[in-house]
Amino acid sequence: MTQEGTHIPVLLEPVVEALAPTDGRVYIDGTYGGGGYSRAVMAVADCTVLAVDRDPDAMQRAWDHAGKDPRLKPAPGRFGELDLAARAAGHEYVDGVMLDLGVSSYQIDQAERGFSFMRDGPLDMRMEQHGPSAADAVNLLSEKDLASIFHFYGEEPASRRIAKFIVKRRDEEKFTRTLDLANLIESSVGGRRGKKTHPATRVFQALRLYVNDELGELVRALVASEEIITSGGRLVVVTFHSLEDRIVKTFLRERGGAMGGGSRHAPEAPAGKSPTFELVARKAIDPTDEEVAGNPRSRSSKLRWAIRTDAPTWGEKSGLNSRIPSLDVLEALLAE
Ligand SMILES: C[S@@+](CC[C@H](N)C(=O)[O-])C[C@H]1O[C@@H](n2cnc3c(N)ncnc32)[C@H](O)[C@@H]1O
């Protein structure tokens, strides 16, 4: 079980094995968190690790860690811009990138960060600790936009109903607290009876993804990794839900040259493009039963990895859902 103030790294051994760290090389830990991956990588090889995280609390841990082990180089920022972070740290190319998506136990366990529907706290959810919060989204976005966010980012079947209840309630009193929103969601879907998970689970996931533009960040990180990983270097990604996994799987299959392949559903690779990644294992790696028993948070995790070829980058990738309002919409509403 997770204890307060710690984060148990998920799929740690297969991540290190997939990255295959080597002495003298440079790696990016794009999601430093509590530093579990960085520490494990530096334990098996005398290498440099650039620690990226968008959360100032995580970066403080990285600075503390770097004070004890100078092979760790803190590089604050978003992983969607990890190419810029590496270049700012003086590295034109790196030998591998690791990403462990989502939130850490440090974030979810701290009620004041507002990520959890189980603990009362401000309705915040901002990893970066600035910008529009989940409360801003819930209090300002239109009913239609909220329903789209809950539907696409939360795969919530009652998305419209919940959005309607939220808008009705906020006209009387705005939302500021996590439990207040969780209770409203619960009552809007007729309580908890017969439900395996808390009725607020999907809406909270959706709001978190939206407020942090997590899927946009993921797409940008994959493209940035293609740009920055040297030939023979590795990209290793751990995802926690199907939306993330689908993005990673599609990207690696597309850039790994697995599209086309005789399937009538699979698009052909664009003319003149050679695969930028070699997919050594086509199937994702799941946690063992033993890992899940020891750390239930690992239950839905999946690891995918690939080796960068020497082909030129394909660059930009779009394809995110255009029915989700962009964060600019919320920023403009806040500025009004
Ligand atoms: C699951 S935790 C990583 C845990 C880490 N592997 C460990 O072993 O301690 C995810 C971390 O990624 C960070 N993160 C999420 N999205 C990010 C982004 N777009 N850019 C940089 N960091 C991000 C979060 O702030 C969080 O600290």
Side-chain angles (χ1 to χ4, degrees):
M1 285 297 261
T2 306
Q3 296 151 8
E4 193 86 33
T6 59
H7 174 92
I8 305 171
V10 167
L11 287 164
L12 184 60
E13 262 181 50
V15 163
V16 175
E17 205 173 303
L19 190 73
T22 309
D23 290 356
R25 301 285 168 94
V26 181
Y27 301 94
I28 297 183
D29 181 349
T31 49
Y32 179 81
Y37 285 8
S38 293
R39 247 185 292 278
V41 164
M42 293 192 299
V44 299
D46 188 14
C47 57
T48 299
V49 174
L50 304 182
V52 175
D53 204 294
R54 73 194 296 190
D55 186 334
D57 292 356
M59 284 318 299
Q60 188 51 55
R61 286 189 288 274
W63 287 109
D64 293 347
H65 183 179
K68 293 181 207 122
D69 188 339
R71 296 175 303 159
L72 188 84
K73 310 278 182 214
R78 299 179 183 174
F79 57 54
E81 298 177 339
L82 55 81
D83 48 342
L84 304 183
R87 284 174 183 161
H91 299 280
E92 195 62 21
Y93 292 101
V94 298
D95 299 287
V97 168
M98 310 175 266
L99 296 173
D100 179 16
L101 303 178
V103 278
S104 70
S105 304
Y106 292 103
Q107 292 164 324
I108 205 115
D109 290 348
Q110 259 188 312
E112 315 84 77
R113 300 298 303 270
F115 286 106
S116 172
F117 52 80
M118 311 283 278
R119 297 161 201 262
D120 194 34
L123 190 52
D124 190 319
M125 303 196 195
R126 297 168 300 176
M127 291 185 191
E128 238 156 61
Q129 304 187 24
H130 65 78
S133 66
D136 294 327
V138 162
N139 290 325
L140 292 172
L141 289 174
S142 68
E143 185 179 323
K144 185 166 162 279
D145 281 349
L146 284 174
S148 295
I149 291 171
F150 302 159
H151 176 66
F152 292 110
Y153 280 174
E155 302 183 292
E156 169 58 65
S159 55
R160 287 204 198 145
R161 185 178 172 78
I162 295 171
K164 195 181 175 113
F165 269 70
I166 286 177
V167 168
K168 188 158 177 274
R169 197 343 267 279
R170 80 184 185 194
D171 286 346
E172 290 150 28
E173 190 189 350
K174 300 255 181 263
F175 290 92
T176 59
R177 310 288 297 177
T178 48
L179 284 194
D180 181 24
L181 179 63
N183 291 338
L184 184 282
I185 295 167
E186 190 176 327
S187 59
S188 72
V189 295
R192 260 187 235 195
R193 257 180 309 139
K195 299 184 176 77
K196 272 203 229 136
T197 51
H198 190 291
T201 310
R202 296 195 196 89
V203 168
F204 268 61
Q205 171 187 297
L207 285 171
R208 201 197 83 205
L209 291 185
Y210 174 71
V211 164
N212 297 290
D213 188 17
E214 288 184 45
L215 301 186
E217 273 294 298
L218 174 56
V219 171
R220 289 188 287 278
L222 296 173
V223 173
S225 298
E226 181 190 57
E227 173 73 32
I228 194 109
I229 299 175
T230 193
S231 166
R234 286 149 183 241
L235 171 62
V236 181
V237 189
V238 173
T239 61
F240 284 88
H241 52 74
S242 57
L243 295 171
E244 292 170 345
D245 186 54
R246 216 174 296 148
I247 290 175
V248 177
K249 181 173 155 184
T250 310
F251 177 86
L252 288 179
R253 288 192 64 206
E254 177 191 85
R255 310 247 162 156
M259 293 306 202
S263 160
R264 66 196 167 88
H265 300 297
E268 294 292 337
K273 303 262 195 202
S274 303
T276 49
F277 284 98
E278 182 194 343
L279 269 75
V280 182
R282 260 158 212 263
K283 281 194 70 175
I285 298 169
D286 298 323
T288 59
D289 294 344
E290 201 184 345
E291 176 165 4
V292 175
N295 181 12
R297 192 178 167 267
S298 68
R299 195 181 47 237
S300 53
S301 61
K302 281 191 184 302
L303 166 66
R304 294 188 187 271
W305 66 283
I307 303 181
R308 180 74 172 89
T309 67
D310 58 5
T313 54
W314 294 20
E316 280 312 303
K317 177 174 172 64
S318 58
L320 282 178
N321 196 321
S322 58
R323 276 182 281 177
I324 301 272
S326 91
L327 263 182
D328 299 345
V329 171
L330 184 53
E331 270 157 14
L333 287 169
L334 267 174
E336 270 173 17

